[in-house]
Every structure is written in structure tokens, then in C-alpha cells.
Amino acid sequence: MVGDDPWKEAQRAMTICNACRYCEGFCAVFPAMELRRTFTPSDLMYLSNLCHNCRACYYACQYAPPHQFMLNVPRAMAELRSLTYREMAVPRALGRLMGKSSLFTSIAVLSATLLTVSTTLWSVPEEVLFSSWRGEGAFYRVIPYPSMVLPFCILFAWAIWTVGASLLRFWKKMGQDLGSLLDPRFHLKALRDVASLRYLGGGGHGCNYPGERFSHARRWLHQLVFWGSLLCLASTAIAAFYDHFLQWKAPYPLWSLPVSLGILGGAGILAGSCGLMLLKVRMDPVPSDPKTLGMDISLLSVLSLICASGFLLLWLRDTGTMGILLAVHLGIVGGFFLSIPLGKLVHGPYRYLALVRNAIEQMGNDRQHEPT
Ligand code: SF4
Ligand code: SF4
């Protein structure tokens, strides 16, 4: 990298790449870059969120270090992505905290867990908290239903509001109007790319991660976390349906739909998160932004903690430790929700919007080249 200004560095990199174009088949960034002659900050923000740090363009580049151009596109893009999250954050104060994302995520998770456990210890009589409860409604005997659901509704609304408002700001910053955001054709194309994690496939041979050798490991581990999260969401939605509409109260039997989906999803997230952390430890640090490593590791650690505490609760739910384990699990999940706007999870929706923008650009461009 030449100089300390990430905007200037990304602009310099894209200008050199636009003259070279050797990497144009590697990912969506280069074809999008080729539609431009100059690069405004909003173009660079868009391109950086289109990049998924596969590193193919670093290992293939004749201008990468030790060449005097010192070109490092993945790192330049990674630094701009972090800047995007900070500059687009709503409220703006969150952007300043994002610089220390791992510290604030740890504080949020630790405080929420301590608060939930201490409130439970203080408010639930000992003979209730440490008794073994079984069957329908056992969880609610220890932590009443409203005390469990209300804080989560507030934390969920907080995450939706902050992330949603930041994404709208990002969309406008990319020069897009709300009409195009509501057009389902562009979402269909972007969703296809997301569901298959297409660009992490590197055209069939995987990406250069954690080192120079091509590997599918990162794509598969991402898939485990992504599909595991969707299964856990489905499990929660079905449990809410059982509770509200069928009056079946948790905990549910092992073979029930919410528990089976939760086990599958939790195992996927746990395996994927631990695998991604191992890859991060082994990765070549040069084509990455060292400042975001803590952000990545803190998200993966919190996801692993949520799953591990969930499995422990499932295993011991018929014993006298259920009450305290439930409080610990809920506290970790609550801290996670609180820290969502500050953490690496935001990269998913930002990247998705960049893919929608890319679909708009590609489909518009295809139409311009249709025979008349
Ligand atoms: S990364 Fe290097 S090889 Fe690839 S397009 Fe840019 S200048 Fe060319
Ligand atoms: S790191 Fe991968 S995704 Fe990012 S610009 Fe280079 S080739 Fe494209």
C-alpha cells in the first residue's frame, strides 16, 4: 500500500487495474470497474463491498509487492469496507465505536450475560431456580414468558432500526433511488448469487484462502454458517407459531421440528464459525486489513458461544442447572443482538446491496447491448 489514505489508495489501485484488466474474469468487481473511467468515493464504496476478499487478484498480480507499485487490491478494498460501515452507521456515534468493535462486542455480551444471570439469581427463588423442571412450560417457570420475550423484541427492533437505516444511507450514497431497491428482478439475481455464495467459488476452483493455494474451505464454512443461521431462524419462527397459535409451550421434544432444526442449524454455525476462525489464524495477513481481524474473530466467537451454550442447555435441560443455563444462553444472545450494528455481521447486508446494485448495472448494460 502506498500512502495512508484508503480512498486515494483504492482509487490508485482501480486506475492501474482499469488499464491492465488481467483479472477481469475473477469476480464481479473488475467488470463493474470497467464500466467507469474515474472512481468517485461512492463508486469505490460500491466496488469495495462487491469484493469478497478471495485474494485471487493479489496472487495473480504482477504489480503486487515486491513490485514498486505495491498493489494490494484485496487490502485496499477491505480497508474501504470498514470505512463504509463506519461512515454509513446510524446513529453516527456507532461509527466511532466500530473502530473498537471487538472490545464493544465483548463488553455487550459480557454485560448482557451478567445482567441476565444476576437478575435471575435476584428475582427467582432458589428452590424454583435450582429445581429440575420437565415438560411443557418448564422454561417459563424459571424465567416468565414476558421477561424473556420483551427484551428480545426491544433488542431486535434496535438491530433492525440501526442496520436498516445504515443500509438506506449506503444505498443513497451509491446514487441509487428507492424505486430500484423495490424492483424484485434485481433481488432475484442478487439472491441467486448469495444463496450459492457464487463468487467465493472462484469460477470452480475456490479462492486463494487462507494462502496462495486454491481452496473451497472458506466457501463451505461460510455456507455452514449461512444455512445454519437460516435453520435457527426457522426453528425460532416455528417455536413462536407453536406457542402463539397452538398453545404448545417450550421446551419441545428432541424429535420436534423446532429442536431438530435448531440442532442442525446450531451444529452448522458452530462448525462453520470454528473452521473460519482456524482459517483466520492460518491466513496470509498481507492481502487483508489487520484492523478488521478482531471484528471477525469477535463475531465468530460470539456465534460459537451462542451455539455452545444452546447445546449445553439442551443437554442439561432436565436437571437443576436448567434455570441458570437458560439465563446464560439468553444473556449471550441478548448481547449479540445489542452488538449487531457494531459487528462484522453487517458485512452481509452491505454486500447484498452491492450485489443488487451490480444486478441493476449488469441488466441495464445487457439491455444497452441488445440487437435493435
Ligand atoms: S490486480 Fe494486478 S493483474 Fe489484476 S487487474 Fe489489477 S493490476 Fe492487473
Ligand atoms: S480479492 Fe477477489 S473479489 Fe476482491 S477484487 Fe480481488 S479478485 Fe475480486
Side-chain angles (χ1 to χ4, degrees), residues 26-30 50-58 73-74 77:
F26 285 6
C27 66
V29 174
F30 293 95
L50 211 48
C51 165
H52 55 274
N53 198 242
C54 76
R55 296 145 174 240
C57 63
Y58 174 75
V73 177
M77 294 291 154

Side-chain angles (χ1 to χ4, degrees), residues 58 75 84 86 99 154 179 192 209 223 238-239 268 324 347 364:
Y58 174 75
R75 180 169 174 164
T84 309
R86 271 184 261 157
I154 296 169
R192 271 201 301 271
Y209 196 96
Q223 291 278 31
I238 293 169
I324 214 72
H347 86 284

Side-chain angles (χ1 to χ4, degrees), residues 56-300:
C57 63
Y58 174 75
Y59 293 111
C61 183
Q62 61 272 37
Y63 303 124
H67 189 280
Q68 58 178 345
F69 283 5
M70 300 287 281
L71 202 61
N72 190 337
V73 177
R75 180 169 174 164
M77 294 291 154
E79 290 189 350
L80 270 199
R81 278 196 297 281
S82 307
L83 265 184
T84 309
Y85 308 151
R86 271 184 261 157
E87 290 197 2
M88 297 298 108
V90 175
R92 285 191 189 276
L94 275 184
R96 287 192 286 280
L97 299 185
M98 266 184 150
K100 293 199 175 357
S101 165
S102 52
L103 174 69
F104 286 110
T105 301
S106 312
I107 292 175
V109 172
L110 202 64
S111 326
T113 309
L114 285 176
L115 183 69
T116 317
V117 171
S118 52
T119 310
T120 308
L121 283 169
W122 173 72
S123 62
V124 183
E126 217 172 281
E127 63 278 13
V128 175
L129 183 59
F130 295 106
S131 293
S132 78
W133 300 100
R134 289 164 192 239
E136 270 197 35
F139 290 157
Y140 306 137
R141 287 171 197 263
V142 181
I143 301 182
Y145 182 75
S147 318
M148 210 186 283
V149 172
L150 194 65
F152 277 99
C153 289
I154 296 169
L155 288 170
F156 187 66
W158 153 257
I160 292 285
W161 169 60
T162 47
V163 177
S166 313
L167 290 173
L168 266 183
R169 182 179 277 175
F170 174 55
W171 187 251
K172 285 188 195 151
K173 180 79 183 174
M174 286 196 296
Q176 301 300 298
D177 57 42
L178 278 183
S180 52
L181 186 59
L182 299 176
D183 191 324
R185 289 170 307 151
F186 307 130
H187 286 279
L188 274 179
K189 181 167 184 331
L191 281 172
R192 271 201 301 271
D193 294 341
V194 170
S196 61
L197 294 181
R198 176 180 163 201
Y199 291 107
L200 284 179
H205 41 59
C207 54
N208 302 91
Y209 196 96
E212 187 169 355
R213 201 167 58 84
F214 286 108
S215 163
H216 281 288
R218 183 167 172 245
R219 184 188 198 196
W220 291 335
L221 293 167
H222 257 98
Q223 291 278 31
L224 280 176
V225 175
F226 179 70
W227 290 105
S229 305
L230 289 188
L231 287 177
C232 287
L233 269 180
S235 156
T236 309
I238 293 169
F241 178 80
Y242 282 4
D243 192 297
H244 289 287
F245 296 100
L246 306 180
Q247 308 304 321
W248 297 346
K249 303 290 174 197
Y252 303 106
L254 268 185
W255 45 261
S256 66
L257 207 49
V259 178
S260 319
L261 291 179
I263 290 175
L264 274 178
I269 297 175
L270 191 58
S273 302
C274 293
L276 285 170
M277 275 194 275
L278 276 179
L279 286 189
K280 293 240 167 259
V281 172
R282 289 173 44 214
M283 76 175 181
D284 176 359
V286 180
S288 66
D289 175 9
K291 292 196 283 295
T292 57
L293 184 63
M295 198 184 208
D296 296 346
I297 296 286
S298 58
L299 170 66
L300 295 169

